[in-house]
Amino acid sequence: MNSDCKPLANYPLRERNTLGFEVVAEWALPITQAEQIPPAIRWAKNAGLPYRTLGGGSNVVLPAQLPGLTLLMDIDFIEVLENQAAKTRLRVGAGVNWHDFVRWTLDQNCRGLENLALIPGTVGAAPIQNIGAYGVEVKEYIDTVEAFDCQTNQWVSLSNKDCRFTYRHSVFKDEPNRFVITAVIFDLPKVWQPRISYADLANHFANRSIDAITASAIFDAVCAIRTQKLPDPKVIGNVGSFFQNPVISNQQLQSLKRQFPQIVSYPESATHSKLAAGWLIDQCGFKGVQMGNVGVHDKQALVLTHRGGGNASELLKLAEQIQRKVKETFGVELVIEPIIINGSASL
Ligand SMILES: Cc1cc2nc3c(=O)[nH]c(=O)nc-3n(C[C@H](O)[C@H](O)[C@H](O)COP(=O)(O)OP(=O)(O)OC[C@H]3O[C@@H](n4cnc5c(N)ncnc54)[C@H](O)[C@@H]3O)c2cc1C
């Protein structure tokens, strides 16, 4: 194995997980070129080691000792494949910082991704949970995902349909660690309409004519709203929303509304609605609660926090208490959003 494919032993990941846990990877390899991936996976397989991919670490809960090989995705390029009357097609390396990419698209007059500003992490991780915010999901703009398939040992191009995107979900979550994503191809149509139906954005632009709203103004508004509402991971460790908003049948919603008239919900489909998980947690009295070194954020109950000295098991104990109380009170299951990586298992 040549030197740029040689994994590094006992690699510290404190700076590469936004919860800020003290984590040491048994082996880690910074990946700057796709060609490094096949020999690295072969090396892990031959050694009988588990392996996984890490982007910015903003949606994972890592154990103190991370066994096996961790690929650190640092592939960094943005390529304009097409710039035509109807759309701009971009191919972007998996290691590019997501927010920097969104800002870059706007600088190039490409619109569409502005509602997804300030989401931490990398471009390569964006398809994993089909990142979304303020009424927009990234799946709307993804044409193709390029990846190495660790199961078949082949390079693959997955179409948007192959990715089986749904709310905070995709084929990559169904088949964890099968694909190492190296690049994503985005199509940004030239025809553009502001998307400001979400309450915070609608309030922000309440006095503005829709024709006067630019993509840059939405980008600025999203950044301002998010900065106000969410803790900055550089200051307080967190992974954003810790739970998904539960989707329930409209029938169940009606019966919950009789008991809890203030319950916050949004239509999801003709038959189902989404509940605001933060509201459910808040009602159970967890907002601002601190349990040892971990806690629930005092402004946004959906965000669990770590202020130093804590670890994954402490955080997961708190999460479990919240899940139990919400289930007892509302009869609703809260599903954890970040990927939990177990210290002993291959994920
Ligand atoms: C303050 C804050 C706010 C957030 N707000 C939002 C939000 O509004 N909407 C939203 O959807 N998410 C949000 N998140 C979650 C997170 O930012 C996203 O899920 C992001 O896409 C994760 O990117 P990452 O590079 O940090 O991924 P990581 O945390 O490193 O990895 C997440 C998962 O993706 C896998 N993975 C990463 N890169 C690759 C790759 N190249 N190939 C294959 N697998 C890979 C990992 O193995 C892991 O399973 C927020 C997080 C924080 C801390």
Side-chain angles (χ1 to χ4, degrees):
M1 185 176 276
N2 59 32
S3 61
D4 62 349
C5 292
K6 195 158 170 22
L8 309 164
N10 300 320
Y11 193 94
L13 293 176
R14 161 77 178 72
E15 300 297 327
R16 205 146 173 158
N17 76 102
T18 60
L19 275 163
F21 288 150
E22 295 295 342
V23 174
V24 175
E26 186 182 7
W27 297 99
L29 182 63
I31 300 289
T32 54
Q33 289 178 22
E35 295 70 43
Q36 292 170 270
I37 296 167
I41 297 296
R42 212 166 33 239
W43 177 84
K45 283 182 177 173
N46 287 342
L49 293 170
Y51 52 84
R52 71 197 62 78
T53 312
L54 193 65
S58 64
N59 209 28
V60 284
V61 180
L62 302 175
Q65 300 294 328
L66 189 55
L69 175 64
T70 302
L71 301 181
L72 306 172
M73 295 310 284
D74 291 336
I75 300 174
D76 186 7
F77 66 85
I78 302 180
E79 197 182 336
V80 180
L81 295 181
E82 268 179 55
N83 194 3
Q84 299 192 343
K87 66 175 185 217
T88 304
R89 173 167 286 198
L90 303 167
R91 181 168 174 264
V92 188
V96 172
N97 175 275
W98 174 261
H99 176 70
D100 291 348
F101 167 57
V102 173
R103 194 180 3 222
W104 182 91
T105 58
L106 293 171
D107 289 346
Q108 312 302 309
N109 259 327
C110 299
R111 298 166 296 182
L113 299 178
E114 55 282 349
N115 292 46
L116 304 178
L118 222 56
I119 296 181
T122 55
V123 166
I128 306 286
Q129 73 157 6
N130 176 25
I131 56 169
Y134 300 99
V136 172
E137 289 183 318
V138 75
K139 70 170 183 185
E140 299 167 48
Y141 299 98
I142 291 179
D143 177 75
T144 309
V145 172
E146 296 178 6
F148 181 70
D149 182 341
C150 301
Q151 201 170 309
T152 62
N153 295 319
Q154 281 175 342
W155 293 104
V156 290
S157 283
L158 300 169
S159 69
N160 183 296
K161 195 161 168 251
D162 295 335
C163 294
R164 303 204 300 261
F165 291 122
T166 53
Y167 168 62
R168 297 294 185 274
H169 204 82
S170 69
V171 69
F172 309 106
K173 274 189 139 180
D174 282 335
E175 303 192 51
N177 286 338
R178 173 168 174 187
F179 300 102
V180 180
I181 295 172
T182 52
V184 181
I185 298 179
F186 295 89
D187 273 347
L188 300 177
K190 290 281 163 73
V191 173
W192 175 84
Q193 283 244 312
R195 310 264 295 269
I196 54 160
S197 60
Y198 250 57
D200 286 339
L201 282 179
N203 291 339
H204 186 94
F205 290 109
N207 300 320
R208 220 109 41 105
S209 140
I210 193 101
D211 299 331
I213 299 170
T214 63
S216 294
I218 295 177
F219 174 92
D220 290 343
V222 167
C223 291
I225 294 165
R226 290 183 70 103
T227 306
Q228 233 176 31
K229 284 201 152 178
L230 290 168
D232 177 354
K234 288 194 193 97
V235 182
I236 303 173
N238 75 92
V239 279
S241 306
F242 203 83
F243 301 99
Q244 295 179 3
N245 287 323
V247 176
I248 60 167
S249 71
N250 289 342
Q251 211 177 354
Q252 191 182 357
L253 177 63
Q254 287 319 315
S255 95
L256 276 171
K257 269 190 172 164
R258 280 193 286 278
Q259 225 185 327
F260 307 98
Q262 309 297 325
I263 198 162
V264 180
S265 67
Y266 312 94
E268 171 71 5
S269 66
T271 53
H272 285 76
S273 296
K274 210 185 265 174
L275 295 180
W279 186 89
L280 303 176
I281 298 167
D282 192 1
Q283 294 303 302
C284 291
F286 282 103
K287 197 187 247 181
V289 159
Q290 193 67 22
M291 216 178 83
N293 297 306
V294 297
V296 179
H297 194 243
D298 56 2
K299 290 205 194 96
Q300 172 52 275
L302 199 46
V303 177
L304 303 194
T305 56
H306 167 239
R307 291 172 190 266
N311 58 37
S313 51
E314 246 184 301
L315 189 73
L316 294 176
K317 254 185 226 142
L318 173 60
E320 218 179 284
Q321 282 195 16
I322 294 171
Q323 285 172 310
R324 200 175 321 122
K325 186 77 185 159
V326 166
K327 176 81 180 164
E328 267 169 32
T329 313
F330 300 101
V332 170
E333 302 274 357
L334 284 185
V335 173
I336 291 180
E337 186 175 296
I339 311 285
I340 313 297
I341 299 189
N342 187 322
S344 57
S346 164
L347 263 181

